[in-house]
Amino acid sequence: GNTYLWSNGATTSSITVTVAGSYAVQVFNGGCSANSNIIDVAISPDETPSVSASQGNLVFCEGANVSLSSTTASSYQWYLNGNAISGATSQSYVPTQSGNYAVAIQGICQTWTSTATSVTVNPAPGTPTGADVYITAPQSVTLTATGTNDVWFDAPTGGNQLATGNNYITPVVTADTTYYVEDQMSYGGANVFGGMKFHSGTNFSGNTTNATLIFDVLAPCTLNTVKVYADQGGNRLIELRNSAGTVINSLMVNIPVTTAGVVDSAVITLNFPLAVGTGYQLGTNTAQNQTLLGTASPRLKRSNSNVTYPYAISNLVNITNSNQGATVYYYFFDWNVIDAPMVCPSPRHPQSVLFNTLGMNETLQNAFEVFPNPASETISIRVKNTTEAGKITLTDMLGKIVINTTVGELKKGQVVSINLQSVSKGVYFLHYTVNGMKSTQKIVVE
């Protein structure tokens, strides 16, 4: 016997709603009525997470990294190429291999997954190998290493580059000296052209307009050259401005008169470095135009037909518009953009020039041998000839003494062991000194 009146006008005992809002019902029975509580209905909000990169680039060399971070949520699960990554349930994730990474979060009503972020890990080459050189008097020597693109340095990290190639001729060495060689592999380095290739439409826009092209930079690169058409020769001041209109680079260039059938266009070299960013502007300086031509215009051709923005130049630059609108293309045609290559180095391999002072006619092999090498907890020394009492010294790459011990007379073939448990991992020199004569070998502690 009841009748019903819902807040949306419905008169049935139940309703199905598809619009967010507040709903209630009034129930009638005879002359009596009662009101229900209010039910609030909300549509599930779009909680798709976004992923940002920090502490690195999305393209990097093996051994480096980038941190991917999700927008805040109650829980996280990271995916690589659509597959869940075991244990990757924190807000941030550090990828170690190339692929497409996404994160899924739990929203109010459902699970939401981000768009994929592409990560590229460029492999580094293997560490070069090469032998130490032993000398008995100061001299220049040639060090040789394996590798495809070897580069020589004077320090284990950083330092000064000394030479390139598989061979390095040292200066005259007067004391034990270590050099370092790494192999390098380059990625990228494209030399590409883009933008509107040729002028199209009427020639010039008059004397009062000084326009700019607007573009975004997607990856670090260099704007090498552009092509222009001019009806008057002379110096123009080309300006590169940021999105705020501030000049960040400029170059005065002499542009000749260009005439169809004679000199149709002129290529000018700018060599402007470009950093990642949006809203860059490429144009000319109005004051210089006034000085040279008596006009605000640079008297350079612009296109007003067949203009189709955007003009993508590989994955480096995107010319998006002009400051006079999308129907015109101003001044600078056939952009040549150079992508600086990413150079991935191998770990550096130390190669040493060592003085063998056991005598002009004795080689290192006649003094002692070291095993195992590399070593971890202990290293053993076996003498190859009977020797008098002597001293065993272990020094680091800077010459600091790490271990210094005296040994008595050693018979041929006798073994002495040195405890390395207190020695940090790294490269060291092991010196065996008898009667003021010293022989040295390089060891690695792992």
Side-chain angles (χ1 to χ4, degrees):
N2 295 335
T3 58
Y4 310 92
L5 178 61
W6 288 87
S7 53
N8 66 348
T11 57
T12 53
S13 61
S14 64
I15 60 174
T16 300
V17 297
T18 59
V19 178
S22 298
Y23 296 87
V25 64
Q26 188 176 14
V27 182
F28 299 90
N29 190 316
C32 300
S33 67
N35 294 315
S36 75
N37 60 309
I38 296 174
I39 300 295
D40 292 319
V41 176
I43 297 174
S44 175
D46 184 348
E47 298 174 281
T48 303
S50 62
V51 174
S52 59
S54 61
Q55 300 178 10
N57 298 315
L58 293 176
V59 180
F60 56 90
C61 295
E62 181 182 4
N65 60 63
V66 65
S67 178
L68 303 179
S69 296
S70 168
T71 46
T72 302
S74 59
S75 64
Y76 312 89
Q77 175 60 62
W78 289 90
Y79 290 81
L80 170 59
N81 298 330
N83 300 312
I85 304 172
S86 177
T89 56
S90 299
Q91 186 171 359
S92 297
Y93 181 74
V94 178
T96 57
Q97 59 181 299
S98 297
N100 296 313
Y101 290 83
V103 65
I105 66 167
Q106 180 58 52
I108 296 174
C109 298
Q110 68 179 74
T111 299
W112 298 86
T113 302
S114 70
T115 56
T117 297
S118 177
V119 172
T120 301
V121 183
N122 290 321
T127 305
T129 61
D132 297 336
V133 175
Y134 297 90
I135 59 178
T136 58
Q139 59 184 282
S140 173
V141 302
T142 298
L143 298 177
T144 300
T146 63
T148 304
N149 298 291
D150 286 339
V151 182
W152 298 83
F153 296 87
D154 61 0
T157 59
N160 300 305
Q161 180 177 318
L162 303 176
T164 60
N166 296 112
N167 298 320
Y168 170 54
I169 301 174
T170 72
V172 174
V173 178
T174 59
D176 291 347
T177 305
T178 300
Y179 301 93
Y180 303 85
V181 60
E182 68 181 34
D183 198 358
Q184 295 182 349
M185 188 174 294
S186 296
Y187 297 89
N191 189 339
V192 294
F193 288 83
M196 197 169 188
K197 191 168 183 63
F198 303 107
H199 164 263
S200 178
T202 59
N203 286 339
F204 300 96
S205 56
N207 294 327
T208 60
T209 300
N210 185 23
T212 62
L213 282 180
I214 301 171
F215 65 98
D216 299 333
V217 178
L218 310 179
C221 55
T222 298
L223 176 54
N224 184 32
T225 65
V226 293
K227 183 169 62 179
V228 295
Y229 305 80
D231 67 347
Q232 296 185 46
N235 291 333
R236 272 78 163 182
L237 182 59
I238 311 299
E239 293 181 333
L240 175 65
R241 305 183 185 100
N242 61 19
S243 58
T246 303
V247 176
I248 57 176
N249 211 336
S250 63
L251 182 68
M252 188 77 78
V253 294
N254 186 273
I255 300 176
V257 175
T258 56
T259 305
V262 183
V263 181
D264 182 60
S265 61
V267 175
I268 58 176
T269 300
L270 299 177
N271 199 30
F272 286 166
L274 302 176
V276 173
T278 59
Y280 286 101
Q281 304 167 48
L282 186 66
T284 63
N285 180 274
T286 301
Q288 172 60 23
N289 295 341
Q290 291 282 3
T291 298
L292 174 68
L293 307 166
T295 64
S297 167
R299 300 302 301 174
L300 300 176
K301 286 185 180 181
R302 58 91 178 97
S303 292
N304 63 350
S305 68
N306 300 315
V307 177
T308 307
Y309 291 104
Y311 292 90
I313 306 176
S314 186
N315 59 345
L316 303 174
V317 171
N318 197 21
I319 305 173
T320 59
N321 209 336
S322 81
N323 69 340
Q324 302 296 312
T327 61
V328 280
Y329 182 101
Y330 281 92
Y331 311 146
F332 306 108
F333 298 83
D334 202 22
W335 290 28
N336 174 219
V337 177
I338 298 175
D339 175 19
M342 174 177 287
V343 177
C344 294
S346 71
R348 292 183 184 177
H349 170 67
Q351 277 187 248
S352 302
V353 180
L354 303 171
F355 277 81
N356 178 12
T357 56
L358 285 175
M360 291 293 292
N361 297 321
E362 291 187 85
T363 65
L364 181 66
Q365 286 70 28
N366 291 328
F368 68 99
E369 61 180 350
V370 174
F371 62 93
N373 191 12
S376 55
E377 295 184 356
T378 61
I379 195 164
S380 297
I381 300 169
R382 179 187 290 116
V383 296
K384 293 192 172 185
N385 290 297
T386 300
T387 67
E388 299 179 16
K391 183 170 63 176
I392 297 175
T393 307
L394 185 69
T395 62
D396 63 17
M397 302 299 282
L398 299 177
K400 180 182 177 181
I401 296 176
V402 178
I403 293 176
N404 190 18
T405 184
T406 299
V407 293
E409 179 183 340
L410 298 177
K411 301 295 184 181
K412 180 178 179 179
Q414 189 173 347
V415 175
V416 176
S417 294
I418 305 296
N419 190 320
L420 299 176
Q421 292 181 349
S422 62
V423 178
S424 302
K425 295 180 180 180
V427 179
Y428 296 86
F429 292 126
L430 188 65
H431 310 279
Y432 180 44
T433 306
V434 178
N435 289 333
M437 297 182 295
K438 181 174 70 174
S439 183
T440 300
Q441 288 197 37
K442 183 171 63 180
I443 68 169
V444 176
V445 178
E446 296 182 334

